Amino acid sequence: MKSIRKNKAFMAILYVLVFLLLAEWLTPVITLTDTGHKNLFLLFIGISLIMAFLQIHWSISAGVKVFFILWFLIHVYTDSAVFSFEALGYILFDLQINIEALFAQDWAQTTDIFRTVLFFSLLWMAVYLIHYWVGFRLSIFLFYILTVVFIAVLDTFSPYNGDTAIIRIMVVGLMLAGLLHLARWLEGHRINETLDRLAGFIIPLFIMVAASTALALYLPKAGPIWPDPVPYLTSFSGEGGPGPAAVGRIGYGVDDSELGGSFIGDDTPAFRAEVEDGQYWKVETKDIYTTKGWELSEPVADPVLYSNGDIIETEFIPGSEEESLTAVLEMEQDFPFVLYPYGVESIQTNGEIRYSYSANDQKIEPLLSGAPYEPDNVEIQFNEPSYSLTGLRETTVDKLAELPPEFDRYKQLPEELPQRVRDLAAEITQNSETVYDKAQAIENYFERNGFEYSLTNIPVPAEDQDYVDQFLFETKRGYCDNFSTSMVVLLRSLDIPARWVKGFNEGVQIDAETGSDSDIYQVTNNNAHSWVEAYMPGVGWMLFEPTIGFTGASQIDFDLDVETPDSEEQELPERPERPEIEEQDEAAAAAAVDNGPNFWDRTGDFISANKGLLFLAAAAFLLLALALFLKRQKWMPKILVPYYRRKNGKQTFEKAYLRLLKQLDLYGIKRQDGQTLMSYARYIDSFFGTREMTRLTASYEQSVYGGQPETVDWHELKESWENLINRTSS
């Protein structure tokens, strides 16, 4: 009988499906690591699978793969001709650097070429395992399950969106599993099928999978039953950063192009601040609103460099207080920028550090020898800006038309912005005379018109929906991003220059510095925040805080020379207490700080400090596991003999006999197609010079085919079974 494995067309279909499944592993890895040349990696996988399918000798296959890897390294990392002496010399020199780094355990010195070779090695290993599972075991279930779990985990805990990937995996996996089940069934029943008859099985399978997929896509779907596990798990992981649009945010992130979704609680400490009063810690601003989020326009001027202690000139003039204040920040996360309060005058850190200040986004970035630097401690001198109420009363609307063109980018709005947003801005400010009054009216609008501050169950705007329009007119529910973005858009609708600001709020006061006026504030990822800066003609940029429950505000100097009516005295209403959810988060953060780092914190620190060593340990473990798998016929008898020696019962002998057949197959004595068990047993006995296999086979046939399992005595046969299975380890 001809085995189904010999049917080239059938096996070709299996290998094509395997290639598609491997591509689903490669795509997220390439996406998340910003690795290029995806098509070349896919080509390597394709070539490897083709050689496995054609059963090309391992020496030729290995040579082709090594040749491809060398060509890739030269093509990507050098400008030299392929396989020239210059290119090969460069590769050998890079190899020497990595060998020295490995022996010195200096993992940071390993190069991109070395990491690329490791990646190719993993792909090589994956193709080999897949070839073994499909070509020899006719089983893909384990790899299929691992693929589903891999994509699901990445979709949940990373920016990778696996919505379409999981559908492709299910379709390809079901087809592959169905075909392999068919192959095992045909071999088990010793059925020899032609390609025409195989089509009668394959085509209905594909139609069923396609139909079920179409129904699953177009039928209505229920919402999630269980709560999102990300907030709980990320509280132990110590990871923060931007989440995908469907998830929302975790701490401070850099990608604001798609806002929306819930804010995922994470009380991982970001930094501690020793300062006299709580401050808003600014990081950067963005100026282009896209209907979905924020982006930054192209720089109009080069950044300005400052040294330690230099006076830094920002767009916020320090206040007129006689003595400047000092803030000392102890960083607990690595940030490649300085978090600074309003009215910053100078910055001081250890070492020859310079500070790059960009007027485009107001970000201050530390540099060491011209490269980005992440300081552990920062000391900042600042003097909070103060604004004259007299000057603010003179910010007449007609002065907006006199602003120079450089303010135009702070008035930008997309053409798709719904008209009702502009109409709402005009309605809110219809009784306001000055620019400052209009800004205050918009700032106070949210807490007086049924808006709700919440971190959870925040929707994501649809593809044709504006983020601000959805919040103002439909949901009225959200957190700082919703409130601050809406205020900026409403201000710009009135031609008032405004920009979106990101950073951290003041955090939680956890202690008072002994013998000093300073307090200590703990700032965590939960304190990541956004607010508004608006330009008052003749006065300058001012901070505004539209988010319900937050108390950030600019300092006003009440310098009016005339008495003001009661109504004017109440221009700056007191803000309500912060929502209860924030108080709970801050109390939890303070408790976590008081108790010191827990087990998970220490584990995270250990992993961060030993990434390279752990990576090599994992690679060594995988290589060891592969070696053990390839040599399992050597060590498996040491486990099987003690295991079956203790077993009793009628089924023990049958299982032990079948296990012996597998072990003999691994040893290299394969049973031919159509060969009977007794003929195979005589061949085994002639090979080893015994009669034990014939004796075991006769008992097995009597038990299984003769229907007399009770006549088999496992205790009498055990010695013969052990002798044979021990011979396979020699």
Side-chain angles (χ1 to χ4, degrees):
M1 184 197 77
K2 182 180 178 182
S3 172
I4 188 66
R5 305 169 201 252
K6 304 296 183 182
N7 191 312
K8 292 295 184 182
F10 180 80
M11 296 301 293
I13 296 174
L14 293 181
Y15 277 87
V16 170
L17 293 174
V18 164
F19 174 80
L20 296 177
L21 209 56
L22 277 171
E24 295 301 335
W25 278 80
L26 183 65
T27 300
V29 173
I30 295 291
T31 302
L32 294 175
T33 58
D34 292 328
T35 303
H37 308 286
K38 174 184 175 182
N39 292 336
L40 293 181
F41 287 112
L42 287 174
L43 179 62
F44 177 80
I45 294 175
I47 293 174
S48 301
L49 287 174
I50 290 173
M51 291 189 294
F53 168 71
L54 297 177
Q55 298 182 355
I56 295 176
H57 193 269
W58 68 268
S59 58
I60 299 176
S61 174
V64 172
K65 294 173 186 176
V66 171
F67 179 88
F68 183 94
I69 294 172
L70 282 174
W71 171 83
F72 180 94
L73 298 177
I74 295 172
H75 172 71
V76 173
Y77 293 104
T78 72
D79 297 326
S80 306
V82 178
F83 296 110
S84 63
F85 287 108
E86 181 182 359
L88 293 176
Y90 177 80
I91 298 297
L92 291 175
F93 177 73
D94 188 270
L95 177 63
Q96 178 183 351
I97 293 176
N98 286 283
I99 291 176
E100 293 175 355
L102 292 177
F103 278 106
Q105 298 185 359
D106 188 0
W107 321 120
Q109 293 301 315
T110 56
T111 63
D112 289 339
I113 291 181
F114 178 73
R115 288 186 282 270
T116 301
V117 172
L118 288 181
F119 187 54
F120 270 116
S121 301
L122 290 175
L123 293 179
W124 191 335
M125 186 187 306
V127 170
Y128 173 80
L129 291 174
I130 291 293
H131 166 64
Y132 172 78
W133 283 331
V134 172
F136 294 92
R137 297 293 301 275
L138 295 178
S139 175
I140 200 66
F141 182 74
L142 177 61
F143 184 74
Y144 178 39
I145 294 298
L146 289 176
T147 305
V148 173
V149 173
F150 176 67
I151 297 300
V153 169
L154 289 184
D155 181 74
T156 303
F157 297 101
S158 79
Y160 179 71
N161 188 343
D163 291 348
T164 57
I166 203 70
I167 296 173
R168 294 192 297 267
I169 290 170
M170 295 303 296
V171 171
V172 173
L174 287 174
M175 290 180 177
L176 194 55
L179 292 177
L180 290 172
H181 177 76
L182 172 63
R184 292 195 303 273
W185 182 80
L186 293 175
E187 286 202 345
H189 291 78
R190 300 185 180 181
I191 299 175
N192 188 12
E193 293 289 354
T194 63
L195 184 60
D196 293 338
R197 296 186 64 183
L198 283 174
F201 293 102
I202 297 173
I203 293 175
L205 172 65
F206 281 19
I207 293 176
M208 289 172 59
V209 172
S212 60
T213 302
L215 287 174
L217 287 175
Y218 290 104
L219 286 178
K221 302 167 184 63
I225 299 175
W226 296 316
D228 190 350
V230 173
Y232 177 78
L233 294 178
T234 52
S235 66
F236 292 101
S237 68
E239 294 295 330
V247 175
R249 292 186 175 275
I250 308 175
Y252 185 89
V254 296
D255 184 4
D256 307 295
S257 58
E258 293 187 21
L259 300 179
S262 301
F263 187 98
I264 301 171
D266 179 15
D267 60 0
T268 303
F271 62 95
R272 288 192 183 193
E274 180 186 334
V275 66
E276 183 173 323
D277 295 306
Q279 302 290 323
Y280 270 28
W281 304 98
K282 182 177 176 179
V283 175
E284 62 181 327
T285 65
K286 293 189 176 179
D287 56 359
I288 299 179
Y289 177 64
T290 64
T291 76
K292 300 298 180 186
W294 289 97
E295 295 179 357
L296 185 64
S297 60
E298 292 296 326
V300 295
D302 293 333
V304 180
L305 292 178
Y306 297 94
S307 299
N308 270 331
D310 287 353
I311 299 299
I312 297 178
E313 296 182 1
T314 69
E315 295 181 2
F316 286 82
I317 301 174
S320 57
E321 296 291 336
E322 294 182 359
E323 294 185 4
S324 298
L325 302 176
T326 301
V328 178
L329 273 60
E330 180 182 344
M331 309 307 299
E332 299 185 65
Q333 291 186 32
D334 294 331
F335 292 125
F337 45 74
V338 174
L339 299 105
Y340 62 96
Y342 282 90
V344 59
E345 296 177 332
S346 65
I347 303 174
Q348 185 78 34
T349 58
N350 295 328
E352 297 296 325
I353 308 299
R354 305 194 75 187
Y355 306 95
S356 171
Y357 173 75
S358 171
N360 193 48
D361 58 3
Q362 288 82 58
K363 182 184 286 188
I364 300 177
E365 299 176 289
L367 301 175
L368 178 61
S369 301
Y373 177 70
E374 298 168 348
D376 295 327
N377 295 278
V378 180
E379 181 177 325
I380 303 173
Q381 299 293 325
F382 70 102
N383 201 326
E384 293 186 55
S386 181
Y387 299 89
S388 165
L389 187 55
T390 301
L392 293 174
R393 292 298 185 206
E394 296 174 354
T395 56
T396 55
V397 176
D398 59 323
K399 291 184 178 180
L400 292 174
E402 302 174 1
L403 295 176
E406 64 191 61
F407 286 92
D408 290 346
R409 67 188 182 109
Y410 299 120
K411 301 178 184 178
Q412 170 273 338
L413 285 175
E415 295 180 358
E416 304 90 337
L417 183 72
Q419 181 60 37
R420 62 179 180 175
V421 176
R422 302 177 186 271
D423 295 340
L424 178 62
E427 179 184 343
I428 294 172
T429 60
Q430 60 184 344
N431 297 323
S432 303
E433 296 182 359
T434 66
V435 175
Y436 176 66
D437 291 337
K438 292 178 182 293
Q440 267 203 313
I442 294 175
E443 182 185 35
N444 297 329
Y445 170 75
F446 301 99
E447 61 190 28
R448 299 173 181 174
N449 291 274
F451 286 83
E452 178 185 356
Y453 177 87
S454 178
L455 302 176
T456 59
N457 298 324
I458 310 302
V460 179
E463 184 176 352
D464 58 348
Q465 194 173 30
D466 184 270
Y467 175 71
V468 168
D469 181 81
Q470 180 196 54
F471 174 67
L472 291 176
F473 297 100
E474 297 181 15
T475 63
K476 290 191 173 184
R477 174 188 177 94
Y479 48 93
C480 58
D481 289 350
N482 301 89
F483 289 93
S484 57
T485 300
S486 298
M487 181 173 178
V488 173
V489 171
L490 290 170
L491 287 170
R492 291 184 176 187
S493 300
L494 303 170
D495 285 333
I496 300 174
R499 59 196 180 198
W500 190 64
V501 193
K502 294 173 55 185
F504 289 83
N505 61 45
E506 60 265 41
V508 181
Q509 182 180 341
I510 59 174
D511 198 2
E513 187 69 13
T514 304
S516 172
D517 294 333
S518 299
D519 298 321
I520 297 178
Y521 292 82
Q522 177 70 68
V523 182
T524 71
N525 281 340
N526 283 332
N527 299 117
H529 194 52
S530 61
W531 57 93
V532 178
E533 289 176 0
Y535 188 79
M536 302 293 106
V539 175
W541 289 97
M542 287 186 65
L543 177 156
F544 289 89
E545 177 55 277
T547 305
I548 296 175
F550 287 78
T551 57
S554 298
Q555 182 173 320
I556 306 298
D557 182 8
F558 294 91
D559 57 351
L560 292 177
D561 295 331
V562 298
E563 294 184 0
T564 57
D566 293 341
S567 59
E568 292 186 356
E569 292 177 356
Q570 298 175 3
E571 287 293 336
L572 300 172
E574 293 185 1
R575 293 202 172 271
E577 295 296 326
R578 183 170 296 189
E580 181 179 352
I581 183 172
E582 293 293 332
E583 294 176 355
Q584 292 174 350
D585 288 343
E586 293 178 355
V593 173
D594 291 340
N595 294 333
N598 56 26
F599 169 77
W600 297 104
D601 293 332
R602 294 193 299 271
T603 303
D605 293 340
F606 174 79
I607 294 175
S608 299
N610 299 276
K611 288 180 180 178
L613 184 61
L614 292 174
F615 175 79
L616 285 182
F621 175 78
L622 290 175
L623 291 175
L624 177 61
L626 178 62
L628 290 174
F629 177 78
L630 296 176
K631 297 295 183 180
R632 60 193 183 282
Q633 82 276 2
K634 297 285 187 182
W635 54 266
M636 279 295 290
K638 304 298 187 296
I639 298 175
L640 294 173
V641 169
Y643 174 77
Y644 283 102
R645 184 177 292 168
R646 297 191 301 268
K647 297 290 252 182
N648 293 308
K650 298 179 180 180
Q651 302 297 325
T652 301
F653 169 67
E654 295 178 13
K655 293 179 180 179
Y657 182 82
L658 294 175
R659 182 69 254 185
L660 175 61
L661 292 180
K662 291 182 180 180
Q663 191 66 20
L664 290 168
D665 184 77
L666 288 174
Y667 183 69
I669 309 177
K670 299 184 180 297
R671 182 184 172 194
Q672 302 299 319
D673 294 338
Q675 186 178 19
T676 64
L677 282 176
M678 188 54 71
S679 173
Y680 181 60
R682 294 192 185 99
Y683 175 73
I684 296 296
D685 284 338
S686 65
F687 185 86
F688 288 120
T690 69
R691 294 184 54 81
E692 292 172 328
M693 190 62 184
T694 303
R695 180 189 179 198
L696 291 171
T697 302
S699 298
Y700 178 78
E701 290 181 339
Q702 181 181 354
S703 173
V704 176
Y705 303 117
Q708 300 176 346
E710 67 278 354
T711 61
V712 176
D713 190 345
W714 170 235
H715 293 287
E716 293 182 0
L717 300 171
K718 190 180 300 183
E719 183 177 356
S720 297
W721 180 85
E722 290 181 4
N723 289 338
L724 283 172
I725 206 164
N726 282 327
R727 287 175 181 268
T728 62
S729 64
S730 60

